[in-house]
Amino acid sequence: MYQLYIKRQIITIDGGSYTPDIFRSKGIPAFALKSDFHYSLYLFLKEWFSRSPLIRVQTSGSTGIPKEMMVEKERMMRSAEFTCSFLGLKEGNKALLCMSLDYIAGKMMVVRALIAGLDLYPATPSGNPLKDTKVTFDFAAMIPMQVYNSLESDKERKKLEKIKNLIIGGGAIDSRLEEKMKFFPNNVYSTYGMTETLSHIALRRLNGESASGSYIPFPSVALSLSDDNTLIIDAPLVTSEKLYTNDIAEIDKDGSFRITGRKDNVINSGGIKIQIEEVEKILKPLINSSFAVTSLPDPKFGEVLILAVKEDIDPAIFKDIQPAYYTPKKIIKVDKIPLTETGKISRVELKKLVSEL
């Protein structure tokens, strides 16, 4: 469907079209001078249109130190085709670029625009990406924090509702945010993927009659589970090797799947294995402030559950928690919950922070 655009290699930005020659020359196109973010887009396109078949990408660092990878441009284009085809994106559709170009999510938005002939509108990444936009978008990708903030403003909420295809990735979507989007008039999806899969390999509909708690993988993707019930991804069109993830999953007979947590987010306290994400899900309705769960070493239990929270809270709110071992052993007040640039909780930094406190 998108072979024409692969051959043409034309990118449209803010209504203006640019060919590879512009990015291979010494001159700087006018759009690059509009903002620092526009200039970073120019630098990415300069690398994209270079003669090298490879391009650099960086992992988000949510569970460890960010690492750099070299990936094939051809595989990125295949990944882009999956999304563009699934969403029915067409030449001339307007797309919002509001995610950092340091990471795969932002880079893939540019590649999708290239593949499908989309008109790409860069907006400097922030918590309120729609604040200053004047365009009605056919397609946008955001992290949960950006969606949440947009819903808090009537003006931005109306802009959000008009986006024809909105995909949300980079972190878990909590039930309250999902409920707020349940009756949106256009298509809203949660994505599942990682840097190694060159963005998402599965989508989950959040609104309308097709809303579901399960992710639907793209047709070329095969999934299985390890002995530890972690997800194994076989996606030959975007990665040459099977990926053995740390995501604990359940796969249904129809091939759809749910993520229940991460193997490296399991706390072993007194012989009981506690999944951090499950605890956070149970605590969410009880705590109005920003918070996250982690652990600290303990001479008796090995590890104990720690709650890091921005505001003072009364421990009595946890008296009815079931199972009882989901009750935090200690509450530590922090100035902020450390996040990665893509909006995920930085589990490594969080553990370091509470250890120091």
Side-chain angles (χ1 to χ4, degrees), residues 53-333:
L54 304 176
I55 199 162
R56 291 168 295 174
V57 298
Q58 181 174 291
T59 61
S60 65
S62 57
T63 58
I65 299 172
K67 62 181 180 180
E68 190 176 273
M69 302 165 48
M70 297 300 291
V71 300
E72 297 172 48
K73 295 174 184 176
E74 179 67 29
R75 292 187 185 275
M76 291 177 73
M77 289 191 287
R78 289 175 185 171
S79 174
E81 280 191 296
F82 293 155
T83 303
C84 294
S85 180
F86 181 90
L87 298 176
L89 300 178
K90 300 176 181 178
E91 183 177 5
N93 283 173
K94 293 178 172 58
L96 173 66
L97 172 63
C98 62
M99 303 181 81
S100 172
L101 288 164
D102 291 336
Y103 301 101
I104 193 66
K107 294 179 192 294
M108 285 305 304
M109 279 299 293
V110 182
V111 181
R112 292 172 195 136
L114 176 69
I115 293 303
L118 308 179
D119 188 355
L120 193 66
Y121 287 79
T124 301
S126 72
N128 297 82
L130 296 172
K131 184 178 180 181
D132 299 317
T133 60
K134 295 178 174 61
V135 173
T136 298
F137 296 103
D138 299 286
F139 178 43
M142 297 184 186
I143 61 174
M145 178 189 69
Q146 292 174 318
V147 176
Y148 179 86
N149 290 344
S150 297
L151 290 170
E152 294 296 291
S153 161
D154 288 341
K155 184 178 178 181
E156 291 172 40
R157 180 191 177 94
K158 290 176 182 176
K159 293 180 181 180
L160 192 69
E161 289 178 340
K162 290 180 180 179
I163 298 173
K164 291 185 174 62
N165 294 281
L166 173 64
I167 59 175
I168 308 170
I173 299 174
D174 72 64
S175 56
R176 286 183 288 188
L177 180 58
E178 192 167 333
E179 185 65 27
K180 289 182 179 180
M181 312 207 69
K182 194 173 181 179
F183 300 105
F184 262 45
N186 292 309
N187 303 327
V188 184
Y189 297 92
S190 170
T191 67
Y192 175 81
M194 58 203 70
T195 305
E196 291 82 356
T197 59
L198 308 181
S199 191
H200 53 267
I201 49 90
L203 295 168
R204 176 170 73 89
R205 184 69 182 261
L206 297 181
N207 66 330
E209 294 181 359
S210 302
S212 171
S214 299
Y215 288 94
I216 309 296
F218 291 133
S220 61
V221 176
L223 304 174
S224 58
L225 295 177
S226 70
D227 292 340
D228 294 326
N229 289 322
T230 53
L231 195 65
I232 302 172
I233 302 171
D234 185 7
L237 295 182
V238 295
T239 179
S240 58
E241 300 177 351
K242 283 187 178 180
L243 294 174
Y244 294 80
T245 77
N246 281 324
D247 293 321
I248 300 171
E250 298 173 349
I251 301 177
D252 294 327
K253 291 181 180 180
D254 63 0
S256 63
F257 66 98
R258 292 172 298 281
I259 301 297
T260 59
R262 282 185 64 87
K263 183 180 177 181
D264 44 7
N265 286 345
V266 173
I267 298 171
N268 191 332
S269 186
I272 298 174
K273 293 184 177 180
I274 303 171
Q275 189 71 49
I276 284 178
E277 292 88 349
E278 285 298 313
V279 179
E280 290 176 340
K281 184 177 179 180
I282 287 176
L283 298 185
K284 190 76 175 178
L286 304 176
I287 304 173
N288 293 322
S289 175
S290 297
F291 77 93
V293 169
T294 186
S295 67
L296 284 176
D298 182 82
K300 180 178 180 180
F301 296 101
E303 291 180 290
V304 290
L305 205 65
I306 304 296
L307 174 67
V309 63
K310 282 188 66 176
E311 305 293 340
D312 291 320
I313 59 173
D314 183 357
I317 64 175
F318 304 135
K319 63 183 178 65
D320 296 323
I321 285 181
Q322 293 296 327
Y325 52 77
Y326 277 11
T327 304
K329 293 291 186 182
K330 182 176 288 188
I331 300 171
I332 297 179
K333 188 176 178 181

